Amino acid sequence: MRTVKAFAPATVANVSCGFDILGFAIEGMGDTVQLIENNSQELRVVSITGDGGRLPLDAAKNTCSVAIQALLDELGIRLGLDIHLEKGLPLGSGMGSSAASAVAALVAVNELLENPLEKKDLLPFAILAEKVACGAGHADNVAPSLLGGFVLIRDYHPLDVIKLPVPSELHCVLLHPHYELRTEDSRSVLRDQIPLKYSTIQSGNVGGLVSGLFLSDYGLISRSLRDVIAEPYRAVLIPGFYEVREAIKSAGSLGMGISGSGPTLFSLCQGESSIPGIISAARKVYESMGLGVDAYHSAINTRGAFVIE
Ligand code: HSE
């Protein structure tokens, strides 16, 4: 029986100004999916570790099996697979947990089928799985998890995904406070209408951030990390948001925002020298609020998801 194992990394979606259209991948953390062919012609979610028993084993609801089934249906293939998911990412953290599971599953099944699809063509199936997992088919976690680096979703209909350059000194700090925020809840506080003046500010910053990445202009990146559309509404769901942002400013943060739908916060920085100061300043704020926090740092992951064996 054939077997394949694949890994997909955690991601930071939105990157402040790019709500639903910008994201990047981080090193080290992510989910692993192993597929083992079976004789049943059915997808079976056999084991999930690292989720505290909370994710569904029902193949109609699990993000891995939903993604795989969509791909098999598109290719007109019937295949029996046992799915083993190792969660390396906390649920409801804003680090692209559901996206990493779906992407790892798709990369694994594509390899098992001897790669009938190019990596980027796996994206629509991952978006579908995101919709099942959190009610919204956004691509700003699945695209960077799959492709690595910084990714812009220029359009969803039809899908137009653009890989952006990654300045070599760019690093990221992630601050994950010990509580959960469901993407559905964090999306429900957003407004349907955007005042024209905010649309102007946001467009300027998206353009600025993309230009900053192309030019490796860290000052421009820093000035562009501003979100007037989602952050003001979401910040109220995230204790310590403004205090942490203020505290890490003088520690060398280029800018800070909500990672995806939160509650994890991300900060970009140039080089690694400011990382210890950023983490220690943030920790002090969380401690003063009685909140536990896990801090990670990483370069930008430019590889994306890959087959392990
Ligand atoms: N763009 C999505 C949102 C990302 O902000 O809701 C969710 O991780």
Side-chain angles (χ1 to χ4, degrees):
M1 285 295 178
R2 293 176 295 178
T3 175
V4 173
K5 206 179 214 189
F7 172 86
T11 44
V12 170
N14 299 335
V15 204
S16 289
C17 53
F19 179 72
D20 277 0
I21 62 165
L22 276 174
F24 65 84
I26 63 174
E27 300 273 16
M29 285 187 293
D31 287 358
T32 303
V33 171
Q34 181 177 25
L35 302 180
I36 305 172
E37 220 178 342
N38 65 37
N39 290 322
S40 73
Q41 297 219 323
E42 275 175 25
L43 301 183
R44 301 190 294 224
V45 184
V46 175
S47 73
I48 306 177
T49 59
D51 69 325
R54 295 170 51 204
L55 289 175
L57 290 165
D58 178 349
K61 294 184 184 150
N62 184 281
T63 178
C64 296
S65 38
V66 166
I68 293 173
Q69 191 62 59
L71 182 142
L72 294 177
D73 289 347
E74 177 70 22
L75 296 177
I77 294 173
R78 287 201 67 184
L79 190 63
L81 293 172
D82 285 353
I83 301 170
H84 299 268
L85 168 62
E86 292 167 38
K87 291 296 302 172
L89 295 177
L91 311 184
S93 63
M95 292 192 271
S97 177
S98 56
S101 299
V103 166
L106 286 165
V107 167
V109 72
N110 199 39
E111 174 76 10
L112 198 96
L113 296 170
E114 298 175 2
N115 296 302
L117 296 181
E118 280 184 41
K119 215 177 178 193
K120 68 172 177 40
D121 295 328
L122 299 174
L123 211 45
F125 310 108
I127 294 173
L128 198 112
E130 254 328 32
K131 196 163 188 187
V132 170
C134 68
H138 58 91
D140 49 345
N141 289 115
V142 286
S145 185
L146 183 66
L147 304 171
F150 261 90
V151 178
L152 168 72
I153 296 102
R154 191 204 60 82
D155 201 352
Y156 277 78
H157 306 292
L159 204 53
D160 188 1
V161 171
I162 298 155
K163 270 198 87 168
L164 302 172
V166 177
S168 60
E169 290 180 74
L170 203 59
H171 281 72
C172 168
V173 173
L174 290 178
L175 303 160
H176 172 228
H178 293 172
Y179 66 92
E180 280 181 27
L181 189 52
R182 288 176 352 128
T183 298
E184 267 169 301
D185 297 336
S186 191
R187 288 182 86 88
S188 72
V189 299
L190 301 177
R191 304 293 189 267
D192 286 334
Q193 309 281 327
I194 302 166
L196 188 59
K197 66 176 179 181
Y198 290 160
S199 163
T200 307
I201 293 170
Q202 200 87 353
S203 310
N205 284 319
V206 171
L209 181 52
V210 171
S211 304
L213 295 171
F214 270 95
L215 297 167
S216 288
D217 183 335
Y218 296 91
L220 180 54
I221 291 170
S222 177
R223 296 198 297 282
S224 308
L225 289 174
R226 187 174 167 213
D227 172 18
V228 292
I229 289 180
E231 191 180 282
Y233 302 107
R234 285 179 164 175
V236 295
L237 304 174
I238 301 178
F241 175 83
Y242 292 109
E243 292 87 341
V244 172
R245 187 163 72 181
E246 197 51 40
I248 68 176
K249 218 184 253 173
S250 56
S253 167
L254 289 176
M256 189 205 86
I258 302 167
S259 177
S261 54
T264 295
L265 304 180
F266 79 95
S267 161
L268 289 178
C269 40
Q270 181 177 1
E272 293 180 87
S273 57
S274 54
I275 290 172
I278 291 174
I279 291 177
S280 125
R283 270 196 197 288
K284 271 188 202 145
V285 174
Y286 285 114
E287 270 164 26
S288 73
M289 302 179 70
L291 267 177
V293 64
D294 291 319
Y296 312 93
H297 63 92
S298 123
I300 310 303
N301 168 344
T302 53
R303 184 181 185 190
F306 59 91
V307 173
I308 301 171
E309 59 195 36

